[in-house]
Amino acid sequence: MNDNPLKELVKLQKQGKSVGIYSVCSANGYVIEAALKRGLSDGSCVLIESTANQCDQNGGYTGMKPLDFKNFVLDVAAKVGFDTKKLFLGGDHLGPLTFAGKNESEAMADAEELIRHYVGAGFTKIHIDTSMKVADDDANTCLSDEIIARRGARLARVAEDTYHKLLESDPHAIAPVYIVGSEVPIPGGAVGSAEQGVQVTRVEDFKNTVRAFEAAFRQEGLDEAWNNVIGVVVQPGVEEKDSGCTEYDRAKARELMASISDFPNLVFEGHSTDYQTKIKLRELVEDGVGILKVGPGLTFAMREGLFALARIEEEMLYGTAVAPSRLIEILDEAMLSDGKYWRKHYRGTDLELRLKRKYSFSDRCRYYMRTPAVEAAKERLIENLRTLGIPLNLLSQFMPIQYTKVREGVLENDPVALIEDRIMNTIDEYLHATHQRELL
C-alpha cells in the first residue's frame, strides 16, 4: 500500500502545528485554473474535489464522469505547469445522495458504482456520506448512527476492493484516505433560508459517529481502511446566507473543538466555510478543523470578476455599433428559463429574487455558467475587451485591487487574468489560514 501524503496533515495537527488544507469544491474552469496557478506561485499543494451531484457514473449535472473530471483537472495542471505530485483529487458526499429516491438495495448498488468510478479513476480523498434517507427508510424516524455507519462501511469495502484492483494496473497508485460523517446541508446548499440558525455539533453526537463507524468498519474486516480514515465532518457553527454568513464563534465551539484531542488519528473537516474572514478561517484551523471546504465563495468571486468586466464593457461600447456581450442579462434569462437550481432555494419578492439570482452568497447562478448562451456571452465579453483593451481608469473603478496589481506590473491587463486574480483574492484568505505549503 502506498501511503497517502494527506495523512501528514493529521500528524502536523497532532504535533500542535496549525496546518490545514483548503478544498476547492468546484468544476468551474476559471476557479480550477486560478487555484492551480496560485498553488504554483505559493509553492503549496492543491486539493480539488467534485461532489456526487457534479460528477457521477452517469455524468452528473456537469456531464462529466469522475475520470472525465480528473482528466479535465490534469489538462489544466499541464497548461499552467503545476506539479501533479502536489495535486489531490477528492470525491465529496459520495453515497446514495442522488439515488435517494430509490429503495436501499438499488440506491446502495448505485452508490457502490459511484465509489468504483471515483476510486478507480484515482481519486485519493473519499468522503463517504450515507446520512441521507432512501425511499424505504421510515420518513418519521431519524437514521441511526448504526445504519449510517453500516452503509458507509459497505461503501468503504467497495472503495478498498477497487483500490487493490487499481494497484494491478498502477502499482504506484496512492491509497485513498476517507472522511466520514455529515453535519452539513446537502451539496449545493440548504433549501430555503439559512436564517434559522446553525447549531454546533454536540460532542456526544460526534463521538457516537466515530464509534459507530469504527465498529462498522471493523465488523466489515476493514481495519486497514479504518487506519486511513483521517477526518470527520462536523458543523463548527458556520454557514453562508444570501447576504452574509454565520461567522465562526470559537467560544460556542470550544467543547467540540477540544474533543478532537481524544482521537489521535483524526481531524475535523469543515464544510460551508465560504465567506468566513481569514481571521475566522485561521481560528478554525488552529482549533482542529484541518480541512476547509469552499465552493460558492470561489465561484462568487469569479462572478464578481465577470460582472465587473461586463460593466466596463458597457461603458466602453455605449453608443457604438459594436454588439455587447449582455452577459449579465443573458445569465439572468438562463436562470428565469429554468429555475430548477434556484427557485426552491430563494424566497422573497420579485425584486428580492432578482437580486438573489445575481448576488446571493449561495451563488446559485454558478449552475448556469456552463449553458451555451452564457458561455457564448462570456466568450464575446472577453473578445470585446481584448480587442478594445481595458482602460486603467475603468479598471480602477470596477476592479481596484486588480488595478493596483496591473499598475505595479505583477498582473497582466487581460480579462481572463483579471477574473482569475479576483478568485485568487479569496484563495489567499484560505492560504493565510492553512499554511498548507508545509504539507509537501
Side-chain angles (χ1 to χ4, degrees), residues 160-212:
E160 289 292 286
D161 291 346
T162 304
Y163 170 66
H164 287 288
K165 185 175 181 181
L166 179 63
L167 284 174
E168 296 174 6
S169 58
D170 182 6
H172 301 292
I174 298 298
V177 291
Y178 301 104
I179 309 296
V180 298
S182 181
E183 282 275 354
V184 293
I186 61 172
V191 175
S193 173
E195 301 290 342
Q196 303 167 6
V198 179
Q199 299 299 316
V200 175
T201 301
R202 298 189 310 164
V203 172
E204 179 185 0
D205 293 337
F206 157 59
K207 291 189 173 182
N208 285 341
T209 294
V210 176
R211 282 193 288 264

Short mmCIF file of all heavy atoms in Angstrom, two decimals, residues 160-212:
data_model
loop_
_atom_site.label_atom_id
_atom_site.label_comp_id
_atom_site.label_asym_id
_atom_site.label_seq_id
_atom_site.Cartn_x
_atom_site.Cartn_y
_atom_site.Cartn_z
N GLU A 160 -12.04 -0.02 -1.04
CA GLU A 160 -10.81 -0.77 -0.83
C GLU A 160 -10.59 -1.82 -1.92
O GLU A 160 -9.48 -1.97 -2.44
CB GLU A 160 -10.85 -1.44 0.55
CG GLU A 160 -10.72 -0.47 1.71
CD GLU A 160 -9.33 0.14 1.77
OE1 GLU A 160 -8.37 -0.56 2.17
OE2 GLU A 160 -9.20 1.33 1.43
N ASP A 161 -11.64 -2.53 -2.28
CA ASP A 161 -11.52 -3.54 -3.34
C ASP A 161 -11.14 -2.89 -4.66
O ASP A 161 -10.32 -3.43 -5.43
CB ASP A 161 -12.84 -4.31 -3.50
CG ASP A 161 -13.13 -5.21 -2.30
OD1 ASP A 161 -12.21 -5.45 -1.49
OD2 ASP A 161 -14.29 -5.67 -2.19
N THR A 162 -11.71 -1.73 -4.93
CA THR A 162 -11.41 -1.02 -6.18
C THR A 162 -9.97 -0.53 -6.19
O THR A 162 -9.28 -0.61 -7.21
CB THR A 162 -12.36 0.17 -6.36
OG1 THR A 162 -13.72 -0.29 -6.32
CG2 THR A 162 -12.12 0.86 -7.69
N TYR A 163 -9.51 -0.04 -5.04
CA TYR A 163 -8.13 0.42 -4.96
C TYR A 163 -7.15 -0.73 -5.20
O TYR A 163 -6.18 -0.58 -5.95
CB TYR A 163 -7.85 1.06 -3.60
CG TYR A 163 -6.37 1.32 -3.39
CD1 TYR A 163 -5.68 2.23 -4.18
CD2 TYR A 163 -5.66 0.62 -2.42
CE1 TYR A 163 -4.32 2.45 -4.00
CE2 TYR A 163 -4.30 0.84 -2.23
CZ TYR A 163 -3.63 1.74 -3.03
OH TYR A 163 -2.28 1.95 -2.87
N HIS A 164 -7.39 -1.88 -4.59
CA HIS A 164 -6.47 -3.01 -4.78
C HIS A 164 -6.50 -3.51 -6.22
O HIS A 164 -5.47 -3.97 -6.73
CB HIS A 164 -6.82 -4.11 -3.78
CG HIS A 164 -6.41 -3.78 -2.38
ND1 HIS A 164 -5.10 -3.78 -1.95
CD2 HIS A 164 -7.15 -3.42 -1.29
CE1 HIS A 164 -5.04 -3.44 -0.69
NE2 HIS A 164 -6.27 -3.21 -0.25
N LYS A 165 -7.62 -3.39 -6.88
CA LYS A 165 -7.67 -3.73 -8.30
C LYS A 165 -6.89 -2.71 -9.12
O LYS A 165 -6.20 -3.05 -10.08
CB LYS A 165 -9.12 -3.79 -8.77
CG LYS A 165 -9.28 -4.25 -10.22
CD LYS A 165 -10.73 -4.42 -10.60
CE LYS A 165 -10.86 -4.91 -12.05
NZ LYS A 165 -12.29 -5.07 -12.44
N LEU A 166 -6.97 -1.44 -8.72
CA LEU A 166 -6.22 -0.38 -9.40
C LEU A 166 -4.73 -0.61 -9.30
O LEU A 166 -3.98 -0.33 -10.25
CB LEU A 166 -6.60 0.98 -8.78
CG LEU A 166 -5.89 2.22 -9.34
CD1 LEU A 166 -6.22 2.43 -10.82
CD2 LEU A 166 -6.29 3.46 -8.53
N LEU A 167 -4.28 -1.16 -8.17
CA LEU A 167 -2.85 -1.42 -8.00
C LEU A 167 -2.30 -2.40 -9.04
O LEU A 167 -1.11 -2.37 -9.37
CB LEU A 167 -2.59 -1.98 -6.59
CG LEU A 167 -2.60 -0.98 -5.44
CD1 LEU A 167 -2.49 -1.71 -4.11
CD2 LEU A 167 -1.49 0.04 -5.59
N GLU A 168 -3.16 -3.25 -9.57
CA GLU A 168 -2.72 -4.22 -10.58
C GLU A 168 -2.25 -3.51 -11.85
O GLU A 168 -1.31 -3.96 -12.50
CB GLU A 168 -3.86 -5.19 -10.91
CG GLU A 168 -4.27 -6.06 -9.73
CD GLU A 168 -5.49 -6.91 -10.04
OE1 GLU A 168 -5.93 -6.90 -11.24
OE2 GLU A 168 -6.03 -7.57 -9.13
N SER A 169 -2.91 -2.42 -12.19
CA SER A 169 -2.51 -1.68 -13.40
C SER A 169 -1.61 -0.50 -13.09
O SER A 169 -0.88 -0.02 -13.96
CB SER A 169 -3.77 -1.19 -14.14
OG SER A 169 -4.57 -0.37 -13.30
N ASP A 170 -1.66 -0.02 -11.84
CA ASP A 170 -0.83 1.11 -11.44
C ASP A 170 -0.25 0.83 -10.06
O ASP A 170 -0.84 1.20 -9.04
CB ASP A 170 -1.67 2.40 -11.42
CG ASP A 170 -0.84 3.62 -11.04
OD1 ASP A 170 0.40 3.50 -10.91
OD2 ASP A 170 -1.45 4.71 -10.88
N PRO A 171 0.91 0.18 -10.01
CA PRO A 171 1.50 -0.21 -8.72
C PRO A 171 1.83 0.98 -7.82
O PRO A 171 2.04 0.80 -6.61
CB PRO A 171 2.78 -0.96 -9.12
CG PRO A 171 2.55 -1.37 -10.54
CD PRO A 171 1.71 -0.31 -11.15
N HIS A 172 1.90 2.17 -8.41
CA HIS A 172 2.24 3.36 -7.62
C HIS A 172 1.01 4.15 -7.17
O HIS A 172 1.15 5.24 -6.60
CB HIS A 172 3.16 4.28 -8.43
CG HIS A 172 4.44 3.61 -8.87
ND1 HIS A 172 5.44 3.23 -8.00
CD2 HIS A 172 4.86 3.23 -10.11
CE1 HIS A 172 6.43 2.66 -8.66
NE2 HIS A 172 6.09 2.65 -9.94
N ALA A 173 -0.18 3.62 -7.43
CA ALA A 173 -1.40 4.33 -7.06
C ALA A 173 -1.44 4.59 -5.55
O ALA A 173 -1.15 3.70 -4.74
CB ALA A 173 -2.63 3.52 -7.48
N ILE A 174 -1.80 5.82 -5.19
CA ILE A 174 -1.84 6.23 -3.79
C ILE A 174 -3.12 5.70 -3.15
O ILE A 174 -4.21 5.77 -3.73
CB ILE A 174 -1.80 7.77 -3.67
CG1 ILE A 174 -0.48 8.30 -4.25
CG2 ILE A 174 -1.96 8.21 -2.23
CD1 ILE A 174 0.75 7.83 -3.53
N ALA A 175 -2.99 5.18 -1.95
CA ALA A 175 -4.16 4.67 -1.22
C ALA A 175 -5.09 5.81 -0.85
O ALA A 175 -4.64 6.88 -0.43
CB ALA A 175 -3.72 3.93 0.03
N PRO A 176 -6.40 5.62 -0.99
CA PRO A 176 -7.32 6.69 -0.60
C PRO A 176 -7.39 6.86 0.90
O PRO A 176 -7.24 5.90 1.66
CB PRO A 176 -8.66 6.20 -1.16
CG PRO A 176 -8.54 4.71 -1.24
CD PRO A 176 -7.09 4.44 -1.54
N VAL A 177 -7.60 8.10 1.32
CA VAL A 177 -7.96 8.36 2.71
C VAL A 177 -9.45 8.68 2.73
O VAL A 177 -10.02 9.10 1.73
CB VAL A 177 -7.13 9.51 3.32
CG1 VAL A 177 -5.69 9.11 3.50
CG2 VAL A 177 -7.26 10.79 2.50
N TYR A 178 -10.05 8.47 3.89
CA TYR A 178 -11.50 8.59 3.99
C TYR A 178 -11.91 9.67 4.99
O TYR A 178 -11.26 9.88 6.01
CB TYR A 178 -12.11 7.25 4.41
CG TYR A 178 -11.81 6.13 3.45
CD1 TYR A 178 -10.84 5.17 3.77
CD2 TYR A 178 -12.46 6.04 2.23
CE1 TYR A 178 -10.53 4.14 2.88
CE2 TYR A 178 -12.17 5.02 1.34
CZ TYR A 178 -11.21 4.07 1.67
OH TYR A 178 -10.91 3.06 0.78
N ILE A 179 -13.01 10.33 4.64
CA ILE A 179 -13.70 11.25 5.54
C ILE A 179 -15.08 10.65 5.78
O ILE A 179 -15.73 10.18 4.83
CB ILE A 179 -13.85 12.65 4.93
CG1 ILE A 179 -12.50 13.18 4.41
CG2 ILE A 179 -14.47 13.61 5.92
CD1 ILE A 179 -11.46 13.40 5.48
N VAL A 180 -15.54 10.65 7.02
CA VAL A 180 -16.87 10.12 7.32
C VAL A 180 -17.70 11.19 8.01
O VAL A 180 -17.18 12.19 8.50
CB VAL A 180 -16.80 8.84 8.18
CG1 VAL A 180 -16.06 7.74 7.44
CG2 VAL A 180 -16.14 9.12 9.53
N GLY A 181 -19.00 10.94 8.06
CA GLY A 181 -19.90 11.84 8.75
C GLY A 181 -20.44 12.93 7.84
O GLY A 181 -19.90 13.20 6.77
N SER A 182 -21.52 13.56 8.29
CA SER A 182 -22.12 14.67 7.55
C SER A 182 -22.98 15.48 8.50
O SER A 182 -24.02 15.02 8.95
CB SER A 182 -22.96 14.17 6.37
OG SER A 182 -23.51 15.26 5.67
N GLU A 183 -22.52 16.69 8.80
CA GLU A 183 -23.28 17.59 9.67
C GLU A 183 -23.55 18.90 8.93
O GLU A 183 -23.47 19.99 9.48
CB GLU A 183 -22.49 17.89 10.95
CG GLU A 183 -22.54 16.77 11.96
CD GLU A 183 -23.78 16.84 12.85
OE1 GLU A 183 -24.54 17.83 12.74
OE2 GLU A 183 -23.99 15.92 13.65
N VAL A 184 -23.86 18.79 7.64
CA VAL A 184 -23.96 19.97 6.78
C VAL A 184 -25.17 19.83 5.88
O VAL A 184 -25.71 18.74 5.71
CB VAL A 184 -22.70 20.14 5.93
CG1 VAL A 184 -21.51 20.48 6.80
CG2 VAL A 184 -22.42 18.88 5.12
N PRO A 185 -25.60 20.95 5.23
CA PRO A 185 -26.66 20.83 4.23
C PRO A 185 -26.21 19.97 3.07
O PRO A 185 -25.01 19.73 2.86
CB PRO A 185 -26.87 22.28 3.78
CG PRO A 185 -26.35 23.12 4.89
CD PRO A 185 -25.20 22.33 5.46
N ILE A 186 -27.17 19.53 2.25
CA ILE A 186 -26.84 18.72 1.08
C ILE A 186 -25.96 19.54 0.14
O ILE A 186 -25.98 20.76 0.16
CB ILE A 186 -28.11 18.25 0.35
CG1 ILE A 186 -28.92 19.46 -0.14
CG2 ILE A 186 -28.93 17.34 1.23
CD1 ILE A 186 -30.09 19.09 -1.03
N PRO A 187 -25.15 18.88 -0.72
CA PRO A 187 -24.32 19.61 -1.67
C PRO A 187 -25.16 20.58 -2.49
O PRO A 187 -26.23 20.24 -2.97
CB PRO A 187 -23.75 18.50 -2.54
CG PRO A 187 -23.75 17.30 -1.67
CD PRO A 187 -24.97 17.44 -0.81
N GLY A 188 -24.65 21.80 -2.64
CA GLY A 188 -25.38 22.82 -3.37
C GLY A 188 -26.08 23.80 -2.45
O GLY A 188 -26.50 24.86 -2.86
N GLY A 189 -26.23 23.46 -1.16
CA GLY A 189 -26.82 24.37 -0.21
C GLY A 189 -28.14 23.90 0.34
O GLY A 189 -28.81 23.05 -0.22
N ALA A 190 -28.51 24.49 1.45
CA ALA A 190 -29.77 24.13 2.10
C ALA A 190 -30.94 24.70 1.33
O ALA A 190 -30.82 25.68 0.61
CB ALA A 190 -29.78 24.66 3.54
N VAL A 191 -32.08 24.07 1.47
CA VAL A 191 -33.30 24.57 0.84
C VAL A 191 -33.87 25.68 1.71
O VAL A 191 -34.06 25.52 2.91
CB VAL A 191 -34.34 23.45 0.67
CG1 VAL A 191 -35.64 24.01 0.13
CG2 VAL A 191 -33.79 22.37 -0.26
N GLY A 192 -34.15 26.83 1.10
CA GLY A 192 -34.73 27.93 1.85
C GLY A 192 -33.67 28.77 2.55
O GLY A 192 -32.50 28.73 2.23
N SER A 193 -34.10 29.52 3.51
CA SER A 193 -33.21 30.46 4.19
C SER A 193 -32.34 29.77 5.20
O SER A 193 -32.71 28.81 5.84
CB SER A 193 -34.04 31.54 4.88
OG SER A 193 -33.23 32.36 5.68
N ALA A 194 -31.13 30.33 5.38
CA ALA A 194 -30.22 29.82 6.42
C ALA A 194 -30.35 30.63 7.70
O ALA A 194 -29.52 30.52 8.60
CB ALA A 194 -28.78 29.86 5.91
N GLU A 195 -31.42 31.45 7.77
CA GLU A 195 -31.57 32.34 8.92
C GLU A 195 -32.02 31.62 10.17
O GLU A 195 -32.15 32.20 11.24
CB GLU A 195 -32.60 33.44 8.58
CG GLU A 195 -32.22 34.30 7.37
CD GLU A 195 -31.04 35.21 7.63
OE1 GLU A 195 -30.72 35.43 8.82
OE2 GLU A 195 -30.43 35.69 6.67
N GLN A 196 -32.36 30.32 10.06
CA GLN A 196 -32.90 29.59 11.20
C GLN A 196 -31.85 29.38 12.29
O GLN A 196 -32.17 29.04 13.42
CB GLN A 196 -33.43 28.23 10.73
CG GLN A 196 -34.49 28.37 9.65
CD GLN A 196 -34.77 27.04 8.97
OE1 GLN A 196 -34.25 26.00 9.39
NE2 GLN A 196 -35.58 27.06 7.95
N GLY A 197 -30.61 29.59 11.97
CA GLY A 197 -29.57 29.41 12.96
C GLY A 197 -28.81 28.12 12.72
O GLY A 197 -29.35 27.14 12.22
N VAL A 198 -27.53 28.14 13.04
CA VAL A 198 -26.66 26.99 12.82
C VAL A 198 -26.26 26.44 14.18
O VAL A 198 -25.78 27.18 15.05
CB VAL A 198 -25.41 27.40 12.02
CG1 VAL A 198 -24.50 26.20 11.81
CG2 VAL A 198 -25.82 28.01 10.68
N GLN A 199 -26.46 25.15 14.37
CA GLN A 199 -26.14 24.51 15.64
C GLN A 199 -24.78 23.80 15.54
O GLN A 199 -24.54 23.03 14.61
CB GLN A 199 -27.22 23.49 16.01
CG GLN A 199 -28.60 24.11 16.18
CD GLN A 199 -28.64 25.15 17.29
OE1 GLN A 199 -28.09 24.94 18.38
NE2 GLN A 199 -29.28 26.27 17.01
N VAL A 200 -23.91 24.07 16.48
CA VAL A 200 -22.63 23.37 16.56
C VAL A 200 -22.90 21.91 16.91
O VAL A 200 -23.75 21.59 17.74
CB VAL A 200 -21.73 24.02 17.63
CG1 VAL A 200 -20.44 23.22 17.81
CG2 VAL A 200 -21.43 25.47 17.25
N THR A 201 -22.17 21.01 16.26
CA THR A 201 -22.30 19.58 16.54
C THR A 201 -22.04 19.31 18.03
O THR A 201 -21.06 19.80 18.60
CB THR A 201 -21.30 18.77 15.71
OG1 THR A 201 -21.55 19.02 14.32
CG2 THR A 201 -21.42 17.29 15.98
N ARG A 202 -22.89 18.52 18.63
CA ARG A 202 -22.68 18.15 20.03
C ARG A 202 -21.54 17.15 20.13
O ARG A 202 -21.38 16.28 19.27
CB ARG A 202 -23.95 17.54 20.61
CG ARG A 202 -25.16 18.48 20.64
CD ARG A 202 -26.29 17.85 21.44
NE ARG A 202 -26.56 16.47 21.00
CZ ARG A 202 -27.26 15.60 21.71
NH1 ARG A 202 -27.75 15.92 22.89
NH2 ARG A 202 -27.48 14.37 21.24
N VAL A 203 -20.75 17.28 21.17
CA VAL A 203 -19.62 16.37 21.38
C VAL A 203 -20.10 14.92 21.39
O VAL A 203 -19.49 14.03 20.79
CB VAL A 203 -18.87 16.72 22.68
CG1 VAL A 203 -17.82 15.64 22.99
CG2 VAL A 203 -18.23 18.09 22.59
N GLU A 204 -21.21 14.67 22.06
CA GLU A 204 -21.74 13.32 22.15
C GLU A 204 -22.07 12.76 20.77
O GLU A 204 -21.79 11.59 20.48
CB GLU A 204 -23.00 13.32 23.03
CG GLU A 204 -23.67 11.96 23.18
CD GLU A 204 -24.97 12.05 23.97
OE1 GLU A 204 -25.34 13.16 24.41
OE2 GLU A 204 -25.62 10.99 24.14
N ASP A 205 -22.65 13.60 19.91
CA ASP A 205 -23.00 13.14 18.56
C ASP A 205 -21.76 12.85 17.74
O ASP A 205 -21.71 11.86 17.00
CB ASP A 205 -23.87 14.19 17.86
CG ASP A 205 -25.24 14.34 18.50
OD1 ASP A 205 -25.68 13.38 19.17
OD2 ASP A 205 -25.86 15.41 18.33
N PHE A 206 -20.77 13.72 17.86
CA PHE A 206 -19.50 13.49 17.15
C PHE A 206 -18.87 12.16 17.58
O PHE A 206 -18.49 11.34 16.74
CB PHE A 206 -18.55 14.66 17.41
CG PHE A 206 -17.10 14.34 17.21
CD1 PHE A 206 -16.63 13.88 15.98
CD2 PHE A 206 -16.19 14.47 18.26
CE1 PHE A 206 -15.27 13.58 15.81
CE2 PHE A 206 -14.85 14.17 18.08
CZ PHE A 206 -14.39 13.71 16.85
N LYS A 207 -18.79 11.94 18.87
CA LYS A 207 -18.14 10.72 19.36
C LYS A 207 -18.95 9.47 19.00
O LYS A 207 -18.38 8.42 18.69
CB LYS A 207 -17.92 10.82 20.88
CG LYS A 207 -16.86 11.86 21.25
CD LYS A 207 -16.50 11.79 22.72
CE LYS A 207 -15.32 12.71 23.03
NZ LYS A 207 -14.89 12.64 24.44
N ASN A 208 -20.28 9.58 19.04
CA ASN A 208 -21.11 8.45 18.63
C ASN A 208 -20.89 8.10 17.16
O ASN A 208 -20.88 6.93 16.78
CB ASN A 208 -22.58 8.76 18.88
CG ASN A 208 -22.96 8.68 20.36
OD1 ASN A 208 -22.23 8.07 21.15
ND2 ASN A 208 -24.08 9.27 20.71
N THR A 209 -20.73 9.12 16.33
CA THR A 209 -20.45 8.89 14.90
C THR A 209 -19.15 8.12 14.73
O THR A 209 -19.08 7.14 13.98
CB THR A 209 -20.36 10.23 14.15
OG1 THR A 209 -21.65 10.86 14.15
CG2 THR A 209 -19.91 10.03 12.71
N VAL A 210 -18.11 8.56 15.43
CA VAL A 210 -16.81 7.88 15.31
C VAL A 210 -16.92 6.44 15.80
O VAL A 210 -16.43 5.51 15.13
CB VAL A 210 -15.73 8.64 16.11
CG1 VAL A 210 -14.40 7.86 16.07
CG2 VAL A 210 -15.53 10.04 15.54
N ARG A 211 -17.54 6.25 16.95
CA ARG A 211 -17.66 4.89 17.49
C ARG A 211 -18.44 3.98 16.53
O ARG A 211 -18.05 2.83 16.31
CB ARG A 211 -18.35 4.93 18.86
CG ARG A 211 -17.43 5.37 19.99
CD ARG A 211 -18.07 5.09 21.34
NE ARG A 211 -19.18 6.01 21.62
CZ ARG A 211 -19.05 7.12 22.33
NH1 ARG A 211 -17.88 7.45 22.86
NH2 ARG A 211 -20.10 7.89 22.55
N ALA A 212 -19.53 4.49 15.98
CA ALA A 212 -20.36 3.67 15.09
C ALA A 212 -19.60 3.30 13.83
O ALA A 212 -19.66 2.14 13.37
CB ALA A 212 -21.65 4.41 14.75
#
